[in-house]
Amino acid sequence: MSAMPGDTSASLIEEAFNSAVTHYRNGQFEMAEQLFRAILELEPNHANANYNLGLLAAHFKRMPEALGFLNKALMAAPHETSFWLSYLEALASIGDIDTARQTLALSRQHGLALQGPVVTQIDASPNAPTVASVPVAATMPQSAVAHPSDIELRTVNIAFQRKNFALLEVLGRDITQRYP
């Protein structure tokens, strides 16, 4: 019995991902990054590859790039609390507490009870919004949706309002590639 082409691709992606994680853990960041990017060539919405590239970019203080990858990871797997927390930490690290507040409120509307130092920091910041103050759609985006999700569009809008053009460029390119 021969393997199906999809099985081979999934197996290759899994093997590359495991290798990338090993390189990452061993401090071989350049090799890890190359492998994560190769995975995204095969599967652009691979949540964990996007997440780990976001972490790598944040580690090297490439925050607009980090936010782009973390946002993609969050869109691909909105139930992953670690993705939300890393996205919030990245926003807080660049001082965008307003966007972090709105993102935290959005996570709460979707039933997530995030905890950690970044959540405490955001909650303690002045003028933290209540859950009801951030309107969102009833459901998170599904992978079959042929248009950007509410959170993606909201993130683009906030980046524009804050004049964060580096982040806006990353998000804009990502959205136009995924939704031509």
Side-chain angles (χ1 to χ4, degrees), residues 61-139:
K61 308 296 185 214
R62 300 184 325 241
M63 296 316 291
E65 185 180 1
L67 286 165
F69 284 121
L70 293 171
N71 186 42
K72 283 186 198 178
L74 187 57
M75 294 304 98
H79 58 280
E80 289 290 337
T81 58
S82 60
F83 293 4
W84 286 91
L85 289 169
S86 293
Y87 190 67
L88 290 169
E89 287 170 2
L91 288 169
S93 77
I94 62 169
D96 195 349
I97 299 300
D98 289 337
T99 304
R101 276 192 220 117
Q102 292 175 359
T103 302
L104 181 57
L106 180 63
S107 74
R108 288 174 175 157
Q109 280 193 340
H110 289 285
L112 296 172
L114 302 179
Q115 298 178 348
V118 71
V119 174
T120 303
Q121 174 191 356
I122 294 165
D123 280 338
S125 66
N127 303 319
T130 63
V131 170
S133 69
V134 181
V136 292
T139 62

Side-chain angles (χ1 to χ4, degrees), residues 45 71 75-76 137-154 156 171-172 174-180:
N45 293 322
N71 186 42
M75 294 304 98
T139 62
M140 288 300 286
Q142 302 299 313
S143 59
V145 175
H147 55 81
S149 68
D150 288 341
I151 191 172
E152 287 175 301
L153 294 175
R154 199 170 290 117
V156 167
L171 295 173
D174 172 56
I175 288 171
T176 56
Q177 285 176 348
R178 288 186 292 126
Y179 309 104

Side-chain angles (χ1 to χ4, degrees), residues 33-63:
E33 183 173 355
Q34 288 174 7
L35 287 167
F36 287 132
R37 287 183 186 277
I39 292 166
L40 294 182
E41 288 293 320
L42 296 171
E43 190 178 326
N45 293 322
H46 190 283
N48 286 313
N50 276 300
Y51 176 70
N52 282 285
L53 276 170
L55 295 179
L56 272 170
H59 176 78
F60 290 104
K61 308 296 185 214
R62 300 184 325 241
M63 296 316 291

Side-chain angles (χ1 to χ4, degrees), residues 15-35:
E15 186 177 324
F17 181 78
N18 291 335
S19 180
V21 169
T22 299
H23 286 294
Y24 183 90
R25 288 181 180 153
N26 291 332
Q28 299 166 331
F29 300 125
E30 188 174 319
M31 185 55 142
E33 183 173 355
Q34 288 174 7
L35 287 167

Side-chain angles (χ1 to χ4, degrees), residues 6-17:
D7 294 340
T8 304
S9 178
S11 174
L12 178 64
I13 289 171
E14 183 178 351
E15 186 177 324
F17 181 78

